[in-house]
Amino acid sequence: MNIVLLVFGNDIVYHAQAYFCILSLLKYRGKEDTISLYTDNPRYYNRYKEYINVIEVPSFLIKKWENGTGYIFRVKIKAIEDSAQRHPDSHLLFIDCDTVVYNEIDSIKEILDKGNGIMYNDEGHPSKMKGASLRMWKALEGQQIGSCTISQRHNVWNSGVIGIPKDKLTDVIHLALTVCDTILKTDVDCFTAEQYAFSIAMQEECELLPAEDWVIHYWGNKDEWTSLAMTFICNSFLCDRRVDDEIKALNNIEIDDVPLRVKKSHTMQQLVKLINRLFPDKVE
C-alpha cells in the first residue's frame, strides 16, 4: 500500500501534526507499505529520511497544481495523482496530517483488495446541510460530469482518509479532479469542494466503508491533540530519542482520554474577543 501525506507552509503546528501522524503510521504500517510525504519544507523531516519518502513540492509547482484557482485543496488531488503515477501497482491510502493511526492497517488492504474504497466517515447529503455546502449542491444538482450524474446518492464523506484500490486509481482521481474543477467554475466559494469531489468519485467507482476503526481524525479538537503532539515531540528531542524509541513511546499515550470533538461556546468566544479588545495588554 502506498500511503500519502501532504503538508505545506511555515506554520510549525501543521508540521508537528504531520510528524506525530507519521510516527503512528510507522507503528502500524505493513512491511511492504511505503509512506510518501509531499511538502514544501522537507528539512523538518530529516529524522525520517530512512523511513519515508519525502517529496519536495516547491512553490512554483503548488501554483501549477492550483491551476489558477487559488484553491489549495486542488493541490491535494494533484499530489494524490502524482503519487498514484509513481506507484501504479499499489493501493493508495491518503491520510490528512491531523490524524493518528491507532490500529493495524493490514485489514484496510484487505478491503481495498476486494475493490472497495475507504473514506473517514459519512457526513450525509449536502442538500441537508447549510451555507456553502448547500449552495454547492444546488449548483451541481443533476449535472452530468463525465459519465456521472450528480444526485441524492452522493453523500459527503470526510476526506481526512481516502483509500483507493489500485485498479481504480486512474478513474477515481480523474473524476475527482473533474468534479472539483467543475465546482470551482461555479460562483460558489466552498471550502469542501475537494471533499465532495472525492466523495462523488469514490461512490461512483467503489462501495465506500468508513476508516474510523483505524484512524482518529481530530479536526473537531485540534487544540488538545496538537498540544499532545507538541509535548510528545519536545520530550523526544529533550530526551534525545531515536525514531524507533519514539514509536515505542506511543504506547504510553492514553489516546482514549483525549476527546475527538469539543463544541466551544460561541458566546464565550465573542466575549473573550470583546474583553481582549477593551483591555489590551500593555507593553512596558
Side-chain angles (χ1 to χ4, degrees):
M1 192 156 58
N2 170 33
I3 303 169
V4 184
L5 298 94
L6 175 72
V7 57
F8 292 135
N10 295 316
D11 191 333
I12 201 68
V13 166
Y14 299 131
H15 295 283
Q17 292 172 353
Y19 190 100
F20 198 56
C21 177
I22 291 168
L23 273 179
S24 70
L25 279 167
L26 291 174
K27 179 178 178 180
Y28 288 111
R29 72 169 175 176
K31 291 182 180 179
E32 302 301 319
D33 295 337
T34 60
I35 300 174
S36 300
L37 172 73
Y38 286 75
T39 182
D40 55 350
N41 276 298
R43 65 187 184 279
Y44 290 145
Y45 304 93
N46 286 336
R47 284 164 59 83
Y48 282 147
K49 61 185 178 183
E50 296 179 10
Y51 298 83
I52 70 173
N53 302 316
V54 179
I55 301 169
E56 183 173 6
V57 184
S59 57
F60 77 86
L61 186 54
I62 293 174
K63 291 296 183 185
K64 180 179 179 181
W65 283 355
E66 286 181 348
N67 196 33
T69 65
Y71 182 61
I72 191 62
F73 291 106
R74 191 180 191 276
V75 176
K76 175 176 172 178
I77 303 176
K78 293 298 291 184
I80 289 173
E81 180 183 58
D82 181 83
S83 195
Q85 290 169 352
R86 293 172 187 251
H87 303 273
D89 298 322
S90 297
H91 300 314
L92 187 147
L93 181 67
F94 176 88
I95 299 187
D96 271 349
C97 292
D98 56 343
T99 61
V100 172
V101 178
Y102 70 98
N103 215 340
E104 301 290 345
I105 60 176
D106 279 346
S107 47
I108 291 181
K109 287 196 285 287
E110 294 172 6
I111 290 171
L112 300 179
D113 282 340
K114 295 176 182 178
N116 298 320
I118 290 279
M119 291 184 74
Y120 184 66
N121 64 6
D122 186 349
E123 297 182 347
H125 197 271
S127 63
K128 298 177 174 61
M129 299 178 184
K130 298 178 181 179
S133 294
L134 179 59
R135 292 194 297 273
M136 178 176 63
W137 158 248
K138 289 180 176 178
L140 288 188
E141 181 182 6
Q143 275 201 43
Q144 183 83 19
I145 303 177
S147 60
C148 167
T149 301
I150 309 302
S151 70
Q152 289 284 347
R153 70 178 293 266
H154 299 114
N155 279 11
V156 177
W157 282 66
N158 186 298
S159 62
V161 180
I162 305 171
I164 311 173
K166 59 186 176 183
D167 61 344
K168 297 180 179 179
L169 287 171
T170 300
D171 290 341
V172 166
I173 295 168
H174 175 73
L175 181 55
L177 191 61
T178 303
V179 174
C180 183
D181 284 346
T182 300
I183 296 170
L184 296 177
K185 289 175 184 176
T186 69
D187 59 358
V188 178
D189 184 12
C190 189
F191 180 78
T192 59
E194 162 270 322
Q195 178 182 346
Y196 192 40
F198 262 119
S199 299
I200 291 169
M202 292 288 282
Q203 287 171 99
E204 281 293 302
E205 299 294 334
C206 316
E207 179 183 347
L208 266 181
L209 298 171
E212 294 164 300
D213 287 342
W214 301 274
V215 182
I216 293 169
H217 188 201
Y218 54 83
W219 58 268
N221 187 19
K222 288 194 179 185
D223 289 347
E224 280 191 76
W225 281 92
T226 301
S227 177
L228 175 68
M230 288 284 201
T231 300
F232 184 92
I233 293 167
C234 285
N235 281 329
S236 289
F237 279 79
L238 290 172
C239 297
D240 198 25
R241 290 174 181 158
R242 297 173 303 168
V243 173
D244 289 343
D245 296 327
E246 289 183 284
I247 295 170
K248 293 176 183 176
L250 290 177
N251 295 326
N252 300 323
I253 296 178
E254 298 292 340
I255 59 173
D256 292 339
D257 294 340
V258 187
L260 280 182
R261 294 174 183 83
V262 173
K263 187 174 181 179
K264 296 185 177 181
S265 167
H266 178 72
T267 302
M268 184 193 72
Q269 292 174 332
Q270 294 301 110
L271 286 172
V272 168
K273 289 181 181 179
L274 176 61
I275 291 170
N276 287 337
R277 188 167 65 249
L278 293 175
F279 305 100
D281 293 337
K282 295 181 180 180
V283 179
E284 296 181 351

